[in-house]
Amino acid sequence: MMKTRMTYVLVLTLLMFSCGNQEKTSSVKPVSFSTISQGALKGDGQEGIEKSKLIISDSKAFMVLLGKVNTVNDQIDPVPSIDFDQSIVLAVFDDIKSHGGHSIDITKVSEHEDRFVVEIERLKKGGMLTIITQPYHLVKIPKTAKPIIFKEI
Protein backbone atom coordinates (compact mmCIF):
# COMPACT_ATOMS: atom_id res chain seq x y z
CA MET A 1 0.00 0.00 0.00
CA MET A 2 2.83 2.38 0.88
CA LYS A 3 4.65 1.58 -2.37
CA THR A 4 1.51 2.38 -4.36
CA ARG A 5 1.11 5.76 -2.67
CA MET A 6 4.78 6.58 -3.25
CA THR A 7 4.40 5.65 -6.92
CA TYR A 8 1.36 7.95 -7.26
CA VAL A 9 3.18 10.80 -5.56
CA LEU A 10 6.21 10.32 -7.81
CA VAL A 11 4.10 10.22 -10.97
CA LEU A 12 2.12 13.32 -9.96
CA THR A 13 5.32 15.19 -9.15
CA LEU A 14 6.82 14.34 -12.53
CA LEU A 15 3.65 15.44 -14.30
CA MET A 16 3.61 18.75 -12.46
CA PHE A 17 7.21 19.54 -13.39
CA SER A 18 6.83 18.48 -17.01
CA CYS A 19 3.73 20.65 -17.46
CA GLY A 20 5.55 23.65 -16.03
CA ASN A 21 8.42 23.25 -18.49
CA GLN A 22 6.05 23.08 -21.46
CA GLU A 23 4.46 26.40 -20.51
CA LYS A 24 7.84 28.13 -20.35
CA THR A 25 9.07 26.88 -23.71
CA SER A 26 5.80 27.62 -25.47
CA SER A 27 6.15 31.35 -24.71
CA VAL A 28 9.50 31.56 -26.53
CA LYS A 29 9.25 32.82 -30.12
CA PRO A 30 12.06 32.97 -32.68
CA VAL A 31 12.95 36.47 -33.90
CA SER A 32 14.06 36.95 -37.48
CA PHE A 33 17.29 38.85 -37.98
CA SER A 34 19.43 39.83 -40.94
CA THR A 35 23.18 40.21 -41.09
CA ILE A 36 24.41 43.71 -41.89
CA SER A 37 28.08 42.74 -41.88
CA GLN A 38 30.24 39.95 -40.53
CA GLY A 39 33.95 39.41 -40.75
CA ALA A 40 37.17 40.39 -39.04
CA LEU A 41 38.73 43.80 -38.55
CA LYS A 42 42.36 43.85 -39.68
CA GLY A 43 43.59 47.11 -38.14
CA ASP A 44 45.67 45.59 -35.35
CA GLY A 45 43.34 47.25 -32.84
CA GLN A 46 43.63 50.71 -34.43
CA GLU A 47 39.85 50.82 -34.72
CA GLY A 48 39.66 51.21 -30.94
CA ILE A 49 36.84 48.72 -30.47
CA GLU A 50 37.11 46.50 -27.42
CA LYS A 51 35.45 43.12 -26.99
CA SER A 52 31.81 44.13 -26.63
CA LYS A 53 28.14 43.42 -27.15
CA LEU A 54 26.26 46.50 -28.34
CA ILE A 55 22.64 47.50 -28.83
CA ILE A 56 22.36 50.40 -31.28
CA SER A 57 19.01 52.14 -31.48
CA ASP A 58 19.75 55.38 -33.36
CA SER A 59 21.50 56.43 -36.55
CA LYS A 60 24.06 58.67 -34.80
CA ALA A 61 25.42 55.81 -32.68
CA PHE A 62 25.38 53.55 -35.76
CA MET A 63 27.41 56.05 -37.81
CA VAL A 64 29.95 56.43 -34.97
CA LEU A 65 30.37 52.65 -34.85
CA LEU A 66 30.72 52.38 -38.64
CA GLY A 67 33.33 55.15 -38.53
CA LYS A 68 35.39 53.08 -36.09
CA VAL A 69 34.89 49.84 -38.04
CA ASN A 70 35.96 51.54 -41.27
CA THR A 71 38.96 53.37 -39.73
CA VAL A 72 41.57 51.11 -41.32
CA ASN A 73 39.63 49.07 -43.88
CA ASP A 74 36.31 49.74 -45.55
CA GLN A 75 34.69 46.72 -43.92
CA ILE A 76 31.15 48.03 -44.30
CA ASP A 77 30.81 49.75 -47.64
CA PRO A 78 28.33 50.89 -48.82
CA VAL A 79 26.75 52.02 -45.56
CA PRO A 80 23.41 50.22 -45.12
CA SER A 81 20.25 52.22 -44.58
CA ILE A 82 18.56 51.30 -41.28
CA ASP A 83 15.14 52.60 -40.26
CA PHE A 84 15.64 52.96 -36.51
CA ASP A 85 11.91 53.59 -36.03
CA GLN A 86 11.37 49.94 -37.02
CA SER A 87 14.69 48.22 -36.24
CA ILE A 88 17.69 48.11 -33.94
CA VAL A 89 21.21 46.87 -34.58
CA LEU A 90 23.02 44.31 -32.45
CA ALA A 91 26.81 44.24 -32.71
CA VAL A 92 29.26 41.79 -31.16
CA PHE A 93 33.03 42.19 -31.26
CA ASP A 94 35.43 39.53 -30.03
CA ASP A 95 38.93 39.90 -28.60
CA ILE A 96 41.76 40.72 -30.97
CA LYS A 97 43.20 37.43 -32.23
CA SER A 98 46.80 36.74 -33.27
CA HIS A 99 45.71 34.30 -36.00
CA GLY A 100 43.11 34.58 -38.74
CA GLY A 101 40.13 32.31 -39.32
CA HIS A 102 38.17 33.14 -36.16
CA SER A 103 34.54 34.18 -36.08
CA ILE A 104 31.96 35.43 -33.65
CA ASP A 105 28.43 34.61 -34.69
CA ILE A 106 24.97 35.70 -33.63
CA THR A 107 23.22 32.40 -34.29
CA LYS A 108 19.79 32.87 -32.74
CA VAL A 109 17.51 35.58 -31.38
CA SER A 110 14.42 34.61 -29.39
CA GLU A 111 11.65 36.56 -27.71
CA HIS A 112 10.58 35.53 -24.22
CA GLU A 113 7.72 37.03 -22.24
CA ASP A 114 9.98 39.54 -20.52
CA ARG A 115 13.15 39.77 -22.67
CA PHE A 116 14.95 39.04 -25.93
CA VAL A 117 17.83 36.54 -25.81
CA VAL A 118 20.67 36.75 -28.35
CA GLU A 119 22.81 33.61 -28.66
CA ILE A 120 26.46 34.06 -29.60
CA GLU A 121 28.79 31.29 -30.76
CA ARG A 122 32.29 31.07 -32.17
CA LEU A 123 31.76 28.79 -35.14
CA LYS A 124 35.25 29.20 -36.64
CA LYS A 125 38.07 28.51 -34.20
CA GLY A 126 40.96 29.98 -36.20
CA GLY A 127 43.61 28.83 -38.58
CA MET A 128 47.36 28.94 -38.95
CA LEU A 129 47.58 32.27 -40.83
CA THR A 130 49.47 34.73 -38.63
CA ILE A 131 47.50 37.94 -38.98
CA ILE A 132 45.98 40.06 -36.27
CA THR A 133 42.20 40.16 -36.60
CA GLN A 134 39.13 41.00 -34.54
CA PRO A 135 35.99 39.04 -35.42
CA TYR A 136 32.66 40.88 -35.43
CA HIS A 137 29.01 40.41 -36.41
CA LEU A 138 26.33 43.09 -36.89
CA VAL A 139 22.65 42.15 -37.31
CA LYS A 140 19.35 43.99 -37.60
CA ILE A 141 16.29 42.92 -35.58
CA PRO A 142 12.80 44.40 -35.15
CA LYS A 143 12.66 47.20 -32.59
CA THR A 144 11.68 46.15 -29.07
CA ALA A 145 11.24 47.78 -25.68
CA LYS A 146 12.11 44.52 -23.89
CA PRO A 147 15.59 44.11 -22.37
CA ILE A 148 18.09 42.31 -24.60
CA ILE A 149 20.30 39.67 -23.02
CA PHE A 150 23.39 38.29 -24.80
CA LYS A 151 24.16 34.66 -24.06
CA GLU A 152 27.42 32.98 -25.12
CA ILE A 153 27.00 29.35 -26.11
Side-chain angles (χ1 to χ4, degrees):
M1 182 75 156
M2 187 67 154
K3 281 187 176 183
T4 306
R5 283 187 182 177
M6 290 296 285
T7 304
Y8 285 127
V9 170
L10 182 62
V11 169
L12 288 174
T13 304
L14 289 173
L15 287 173
M16 285 176 32
F17 282 114
S18 67
C19 290
N21 288 341
Q22 288 174 352
E23 288 176 27
K24 289 180 184 177
T25 57
S26 65
S27 65
V28 176
K29 295 182 271 184
V31 175
S32 65
F33 64 92
S34 58
T35 294
I36 296 168
S37 181
Q38 184 175 21
L41 304 178
K42 297 172 182 71
D44 193 14
Q46 294 176 41
E47 297 90 356
I49 302 172
E50 295 183 17
K51 179 180 180 178
S52 54
K53 300 168 184 96
L54 306 171
I55 301 166
I56 302 161
S57 57
D58 64 76
S59 59
K60 184 176 180 182
F62 185 58
M63 294 310 290
V64 168
L65 178 65
L66 290 184
K68 286 183 175 185
V69 168
N70 289 336
T71 298
V72 177
N73 302 302
D74 288 332
Q75 285 291 123
I76 304 173
D77 186 35
V79 173
S81 176
I82 308 290
D83 179 0
F84 284 100
D85 291 330
Q86 302 293 319
S87 304
I88 58 175
V89 173
L90 306 176
V92 291
F93 293 87
D94 206 352
D95 288 316
I96 295 173
K97 307 290 186 185
S98 61
H99 289 80
H102 293 271
S103 72
I104 189 164
D105 309 89
I106 294 174
T107 55
K108 183 178 178 182
V109 180
S110 54
E111 181 178 6
H112 299 249
E113 287 182 27
D114 59 344
R115 69 194 181 285
F116 273 41
V117 176
V118 180
E119 293 184 11
I120 302 167
E121 295 183 63
R122 288 169 178 80
L123 298 177
K124 296 179 185 172
K125 304 296 183 188
M128 298 303 291
L129 181 62
T130 304
I131 182 171
I132 297 176
T133 63
Q134 183 178 18
Y136 73 92
H137 194 182
L138 277 70
V139 301
K140 178 175 74 168
I141 67 169
K143 191 169 192 163
T144 181
K146 293 180 181 181
I148 298 173
I149 308 299
F150 291 91
K151 178 181 172 184
E152 294 200 30
I153 304 296

